[in-house]
Amino acid sequence: MATETTTVTDLAEAAERQRRLELKELLNKKYKWIDWKWDLVFWTTAVFVVAGAADITKQLFAGDWDFWTDWKDPQWWPVVTAFATIIIPSTLQYIQWTAWRFPTGATYTACCLFFAAWVGRYFQWDLAATYPMNFVWPASVVCAGILMDWTLMKTKSFILTSLIGAHVWAIAVWAYNYVPLAAFLQPAHFMDHVVTVADVQGIAYIRSQTPEYLRLIERGALRSFLGETQYVSLAFAGTAAFVGYWIGQFIGRYLAVWPIRRYLKTM
Amino acid sequence: MGKRFVIGSVGALCVILAVVLANPPNAAAHGEAADEPFLKNMTTAFFNVSVSPTEIEVGEPVRVTGSVKILETWPHTLETPEIASIMPVVPGPVFVLKERFVNGTAAIGSFFAQKGGIYEFEMELVGKEPGDWHVHPGIAVYGTGTLIGPGEWVTVKPSDEPFSFPLTLMSGETIELSTYGGAFVWWWSFAGFVLGFIWILYWTTNKRTVTNLAVTVQLPVNDDAPDIGLITPRDHMWMNVIVGVTLVMLVVGWTYATSNAPVRWPQQTDWFTPEFISSGEKMAEARASGATYDEASETLEMKVQVTNVIQSDIALKQLTIAMATFVNGPEAEQAKAGPSDFVGRLEVQPDGPIAPGENKELTLTISSSIFSEERLIPTQAPQQFIGAVLRFENGNDGHEFVTVRSNVVPTQFRSTYLP
Ligand SMILES: [Cu+2]
């Protein structure tokens, strides 16, 4: 009996080994019409779609926080930015990992977003509306994208990436953009007050339809945890990013990939 | 899809287009004419507004001063005014705002406001972009939006000196705000982009991409298949290198930023309650007893019952509706009342002083194209009312502002087929 079982297991293992060898061959198979040029066209075309999706999602959820330095505060900005910017990277992670086993979705989206955001800010805000770039610069999420893709590559799991990667994302987005923000948080004397450089920009560069009271920033409240708003905010940003990650997965699974499968089946 | 459906749709589209084109909204250059009349005349009154000088060079100042009263007639359909902010209304940051006082207090942000409150403002703008700009004062009210005052054209001519905005930090360093930190933001973000781009290039150039699908569909999603060659140890090694570089960059950047700007504050906020400004010495009681509006001649006629409650003669000198002021006096007095496009003549019948204790019915007549240009008077609205502020004077520099509210009836009722 024992020998028979072993034989069956051996056979199954051999078959699996054989299957994987065949897959290896398939991976390197030469296709007549689908070569690197096809890939290049595909990746380049996707830039605009992905950039658009990522930029619109960011503007929808984190618009003003991303537009102005005087909104980049310790309390709200890390949370809304982490949430808003993780959604489409998560979608692309799902698509590129499941389709090609590339840990590139988040970085790819971040690079596309970098391109879209700077083009938009420069042409629309700086050239057309004359707001200086040092006031309206967009936050960058490329560094966070690299770290989250790396997390997916190491864990090979969307669940673990959502648990670990989302927190990494939240901290990386904040930390990376705090570096250029730091200079704008220096106190200066203006209008009989001591305010930050960012505040001066917000007051001086007139926004007739965005009055100051609409600014959703830390204003100091009982719930500011001994002044440690920043750390509480970052912890919550991780949770918000976790939610955003799964919204992105949902978009990837049911709005992007599932309809394509349905379509392919009909052919 | 039947033929009838297509014809029906095209027909409907034509009708909609005809309706839209036949009723062009009466929009002025600055957009406020698009607002409903009640949103202007029942909410606020701007008076004594001055914008000067009206011709400057880049880098030179323009002062915007005046007063706005949040009216007691504030419409019940809007949230009660509680928080407000005074701001210049201009086409984007073509000026920079350097000073702003509300009732004498420097205002970096918003203030607590209330119905009946009078807010005297003083703003200093500095020309940044050359051009002809229409400059208004405005008051933004939480829950309602920005309500604008009378505007004045300001010509900003180019200057030999480029625009500059020096700002002194608490550290003593003086920075140029127009460009400060801008280059670093760009190169820092760009450096991150380069790392990401290398990451993408590594995968897209070393590997087949689209055709991988044939393999991956046959594997579970958490199988990275190093044996098949999907993700190899070499890939891991290079990705670890990029992540390492990213982390080093973060640490170096952080160290630079925090040593470059060792003192960092959270963004500041200051909401205050402005000092009370009185509407003047008590001298008149006034109540409107009805108004008519003739659209054809753009004439408003309002009846007001006035009682003089002091011991000397008083006279009605001005009437303000929203951003427009009408003066009972000669051209010279009108010119002083505000930007010329928003000033007109007020005719008072019977004119002349009101004696102490006297009760008089005055008929106020105003003919002005401002009514239609700014759409100040409702003619077929759910709230057929206007609010106005009357200015009485007693002859020895005393004055009082009295708010009146009147319903307004058009002199002709137009029959309309479309709504
Ligand atoms: Cu205007």
Side-chain angles (χ1 to χ4, degrees), chain B residues 46-52 54 64-67 121 134-137 149-153 318-320 322-327 330-345 370 391:
Chain B
F46 283 82
F47 39 86
N48 297 338
V49 171
S50 148
V51 178
S52 89
T54 51
V64 180
T65 58
S67 299
F121 49 83
H134 210 216
V135 178
H136 304 246
E152 183 82 270
W153 287 101
Q318 272 186 18
L319 177 150
T320 301
M323 71 287 277
T325 297
F326 304 98
V327 181
E331 302 254 321
E333 270 178 48
Q334 291 179 28
K336 280 189 278 178
S340 56
D341 290 346
F342 295 85
V343 170
R345 213 178 88 74
I370 304 172
R391 180 187 163 105

Side-chain angles (χ1 to χ4, degrees), chain A residues 206-253:
Chain A
I206 301 159
R207 294 166 290 187
S208 300
Q209 301 304 331
T210 312
E212 188 273 344
Y213 55 70
L214 290 182
R215 188 163 61 136
L216 219 48
I217 57 157
E218 186 202 11
R219 292 185 186 271
L222 265 183
R223 57 178 183 280
S224 58
F225 297 97
L226 299 170
E228 302 296 353
T229 317
Q230 187 75 83
Y231 301 104
V232 179
S233 244
L234 281 177
F236 184 61
T239 313
F242 173 83
V243 175
Y245 190 88
W246 283 102
I247 294 174
Q249 290 287 307
F250 176 86
I251 294 172
R253 290 169 194 214

Side-chain angles (χ1 to χ4, degrees), chain B residues 213-256:
Chain B
L213 187 60
V215 178
T216 55
V217 288
Q218 303 186 46
L219 292 169
V221 78
N222 57 356
D223 186 353
D224 62 351
D227 55 330
I228 295 170
L230 282 175
I231 300 182
T232 62
R234 183 172 162 272
D235 300 335
H236 276 272
M237 191 268 285
W238 281 113
M239 291 310 105
N240 293 347
V241 168
I242 297 182
V243 165
V245 173
T246 306
L247 293 176
V248 167
M249 185 178 152
L250 255 182
V251 171
V252 171
W254 189 279
T255 311
Y256 163 76

Side-chain angles (χ1 to χ4, degrees), chain A residues 30-235:
Chain A
K30 289 273 172 285
Y31 292 89
K32 198 170 181 189
W33 300 109
I34 310 179
D35 59 2
W36 66 269
K37 278 177 248 165
W38 206 99
D39 284 357
L40 183 70
V41 169
F42 179 86
W43 283 82
T44 316
T45 313
V47 166
F48 298 95
V49 181
V50 173
D55 203 32
I56 288 165
T57 314
K58 183 171 75 169
Q59 294 193 18
L60 202 60
F61 292 110
D64 282 298
W65 284 281
D66 200 54
F67 295 153
W68 323 105
T69 50
D70 66 330
W71 281 62
K72 291 181 167 59
D73 75 318
Q75 186 183 331
W76 289 85
W77 173 59
V79 178
V80 293
T81 308
F83 171 79
T85 53
I86 202 174
I87 296 174
I88 303 300
S90 163
T91 303
L92 267 288
Q93 258 200 348
Y94 175 76
I95 294 171
Q96 297 188 350
W97 177 266
T98 45
W100 314 321
R101 215 54 100 240
F102 277 14
T104 49
T107 310
Y108 179 70
T109 313
C111 287
C112 296
L113 180 60
F114 169 88
F115 163 76
W118 279 89
V119 166
R121 268 345 126 77
Y122 180 66
F123 286 101
Q124 293 165 9
W125 295 80
D126 188 42
L127 285 190
T130 74
Y131 286 100
M133 275 312 289
N134 68 350
F135 179 35
V136 297
W137 52 272
S140 169
V141 297
V142 181
C143 158
I146 289 173
L147 296 178
M148 197 165 76
D149 278 340
W150 188 76
T151 311
L152 176 64
M153 187 176 75
K154 295 296 173 188
T155 62
K156 298 178 277 183
S157 150
F158 292 117
I159 292 176
L160 289 176
T161 305
S162 72
L163 287 168
I164 306 162
H167 284 86
V168 169
W169 178 274
I171 291 168
V173 168
W174 171 76
Y176 189 79
N177 292 288
Y178 190 86
V179 169
L181 181 67
F184 297 96
L185 299 178
Q186 295 177 95
H189 195 263
F190 188 69
M191 284 193 184
D192 270 352
H193 285 71
V194 176
V195 295
T196 65
V197 173
D199 289 313
V200 177
Q201 293 177 304
I203 298 161
Y205 298 113
I206 301 159
R207 294 166 290 187
S208 300
Q209 301 304 331
T210 312
E212 188 273 344
Y213 55 70
L214 290 182
R215 188 163 61 136
L216 219 48
I217 57 157
E218 186 202 11
R219 292 185 186 271
L222 265 183
R223 57 178 183 280
S224 58
F225 297 97
L226 299 170
E228 302 296 353
T229 317
Q230 187 75 83
Y231 301 104
V232 179
S233 244
L234 281 177

Side-chain angles (χ1 to χ4, degrees), chain B residues 240-387:
Chain B
N240 293 347
V241 168
I242 297 182
V243 165
V245 173
T246 306
L247 293 176
V248 167
M249 185 178 152
L250 255 182
V251 171
V252 171
W254 189 279
T255 311
Y256 163 76
T258 52
S259 58
N260 179 51
V263 180
R264 299 177 304 280
W265 272 23
Q267 281 86 348
Q268 297 294 297
T269 178
D270 174 14
W271 294 8
F272 66 100
T273 304
E275 271 175 46
F276 175 78
I277 286 189
S278 149
S279 54
E281 176 192 342
K282 182 74 202 154
M283 57 180 74
E285 265 161 20
R287 202 166 52 81
S289 52
T292 58
Y293 180 63
D294 181 55
E295 257 187 286
S297 63
E298 298 181 301
T299 303
L300 178 76
E301 203 178 284
M302 195 194 317
K303 297 231 184 296
V304 187
Q305 315 291 328
V306 180
T307 310
N308 181 346
V309 297
I310 55 169
Q311 298 306 314
S312 59
D313 286 357
I314 60 168
L316 173 57
K317 298 302 285 183
Q318 272 186 18
L319 177 150
T320 301
I321 299 177
M323 71 287 277
T325 297
F326 304 98
V327 181
N328 178 17
E331 302 254 321
E333 270 178 48
Q334 291 179 28
K336 280 189 278 178
S340 56
D341 290 346
F342 295 85
V343 170
R345 213 178 88 74
L346 165 70
E347 203 183 302
V348 181
Q349 280 297 335
D351 203 4
I354 305 165
E358 189 184 358
N359 179 303
K360 225 175 183 181
E361 182 179 82
L362 304 180
T363 303
L364 316 183
T365 310
I366 303 165
S367 290
S368 172
S369 58
I370 304 172
F371 289 142
S372 60
E373 276 160 18
E374 297 294 330
R375 238 160 55 94
L376 291 183
I377 313 293
T379 50
Q380 43 177 350
Q383 300 182 48
Q384 272 299 128
F385 295 98
I386 51 167

